[in-house]
Amino acid sequence: MGQGSRVNSLRGEEFQCAARAFNRSSFDPYLKLDVVFVDGDGVAEGAVDEGGPTREFCTLLIHQIQNNCIFEGPEGNKTLALNSVALQKGQYRLVGKMIALCLVQGQVSPRFFSQRLYRQVCNLSPLPATLEEVTDYNLRTKLQKIADATHVEGAREAMEEATDELSLMGSFSFVRSLLHRDELLGAALNFLTEGRILTAVNQFKEGLETFGILALLRIHHEELKGVFMDTPEPLLASRLESTFMTSYLSEPGSNRRRKEARTLVYWRDWLIEVEDGDTSLTLGAVFGICHGPQEDSCCGFSHRTPA
């Protein structure tokens, strides 16, 4: 196997090892990944990857990714944080590529996107921002005081205390009414959760273009929520049936067409078995396999696109 797909990994440092591999000019994420774990003495644990090392590596990498400096928020509910150094170095793009690689080659679902982040990458309209999404404690306290004001004079005093922060966001103004206060507060929250990180979001989406993941997300955002979000709503077999469809069928009435129809029945039955937990795979893993490297189809199935 060529060095263009090799990742030499030391446990506990999967992110750094992946970053070095991705930054290598010869590295090609579309080739089958060749993961070699090296122990603390520098001895390779195995040079031939039969799938197990790749899945283990991707599982560990995803865990480290969600704790990376470009994310913030609680475990399993991450949004993008603004890190100017990471942005300049292209780290948001790099992490997007890593997530795509883990999903497709390792069949490991990220499942830590917040609803806001998921809607951002899917190009969906943003949700109304809330004070709970402001991670800076001091700023959130000042904004909460503005929101809690019961009269105009109190709102003005609270705005004065947050003059520096609101001015940077373009949301500082003389409060004329409580309705005006609400408009200014809403603008500030929208800036913090959407406008401030727009460049970072766009760079992150560039990384998710790897393997066509971003395009697939925009088309099938409802079906794939369970792959990217820690949501109680699971990925269902019926949704995978609609996501992957056959593009090539033989002439109706022919023996070959009947065999193809039988294959479709087997495929749908198997998806139900996976959904029921009767196999070692998950539906999230099936999604990764069917969108695997070097192929845009799985067993004759391709991704449904709008007419």
Side-chain angles (χ1 to χ4, degrees):
M1 186 173 293
Q3 299 299 305
S5 62
R6 167 69 62 84
V7 176
N8 297 301
S9 179
L10 183 64
R11 282 189 173 82
E13 299 182 11
E14 285 78 14
F15 182 83
Q16 296 92 322
C17 296
R20 285 196 298 273
F22 268 89
N23 288 327
R24 211 166 53 225
S25 60
S26 62
F27 184 77
D28 185 353
Y30 291 91
L31 295 177
K32 186 178 185 297
L33 205 59
D34 175 24
V35 176
V36 176
F37 280 104
V38 178
D39 64 21
D41 296 324
V43 179
E45 297 181 13
V48 179
D49 190 322
E50 296 299 338
T54 291
R55 183 169 178 80
E56 180 184 1
F57 173 77
C58 289
T59 299
L60 296 169
L61 178 57
I62 283 292
H63 179 73
Q64 291 188 5
I65 282 175
Q66 71 168 313
N67 295 309
N68 189 269
C69 65
I70 73 167
F71 295 106
E72 61 184 5
E75 193 84 6
N77 192 35
K78 299 289 186 178
T79 58
L80 285 184
L82 181 59
N83 185 309
S84 57
V85 175
L87 186 63
Q88 186 177 20
K89 291 183 176 181
Q91 191 163 325
Y92 293 86
R93 182 184 304 107
L94 175 64
V95 169
K97 289 180 178 180
M98 289 182 182
I99 290 174
L101 181 80
C102 289
L103 180 60
V104 172
Q105 296 233 33
Q107 288 90 58
V108 177
S109 302
R111 301 200 71 216
F112 63 80
F113 284 30
S114 66
Q115 190 172 11
R116 181 168 300 281
L117 177 56
Y118 188 71
R119 294 181 72 87
Q120 286 168 338
V121 299
C122 293
N123 272 8
L124 301 173
S125 57
L127 297 171
T130 65
L131 282 166
E132 289 72 21
E133 294 180 83
V134 181
T135 56
D136 185 295
Y137 175 79
N138 291 328
L139 177 56
R140 185 171 70 249
T141 301
K142 291 180 178 181
L143 295 178
Q144 186 69 61
K145 188 174 181 179
I146 296 172
D148 291 343
T150 57
H151 52 81
V152 174
E153 201 58 42
R156 288 172 181 168
E157 292 175 4
M159 292 280 287
E160 286 290 339
E161 294 177 15
T163 298
D164 293 342
E165 295 90 340
L166 293 174
S167 295
L168 287 173
M169 292 183 272
S171 298
F172 182 77
S173 179
F174 184 76
V175 178
R176 300 187 300 272
S177 66
L178 291 181
L179 179 60
H180 185 218
R181 180 275 313 270
D182 292 342
E183 292 175 351
L184 292 172
L185 187 60
L189 291 173
N190 184 71
F191 174 80
L192 289 170
T193 57
E194 296 287 340
R196 179 170 172 265
I197 60 169
L198 181 59
T199 303
V201 170
N202 287 337
Q203 189 182 106
F204 182 59
K205 290 194 290 188
E206 289 175 11
L208 288 174
E209 289 176 354
T210 307
F211 293 111
I213 296 297
L214 185 64
L216 198 62
L217 273 168
R218 290 174 176 174
I219 299 168
H220 301 292
H221 52 83
E222 282 298 324
E223 292 85 349
L224 299 178
K225 272 185 181 179
V227 175
F228 290 85
M229 295 174 60
D230 187 12
T231 171
E233 182 181 350
L235 183 63
L236 301 176
S238 58
R239 289 188 170 181
L240 269 185
E241 285 180 21
S242 63
T243 300
F244 296 96
M245 60 171 291
T246 182
S247 300
Y248 308 101
L249 287 174
S250 301
E251 184 179 350
S254 64
N255 290 335
R256 190 176 183 87
R257 179 64 173 265
R258 184 165 182 81
K259 291 180 180 179
E260 292 166 348
R262 184 177 295 113
T263 300
L264 282 173
V265 170
Y266 290 158
W267 158 253
R268 292 172 179 175
D269 284 344
W270 181 71
L271 286 178
I272 294 172
E273 290 177 14
V274 174
E275 181 180 292
D276 290 342
D278 295 336
T279 74
S280 60
L281 285 173
T282 64
L283 289 177
V286 174
F287 161 75
I289 294 169
C290 288
H291 201 256
Q294 303 185 50
E295 295 291 339
D296 194 36
S297 62
C298 172
C299 305
F301 291 84
S302 61
H303 311 306
R304 184 190 299 272
T305 55

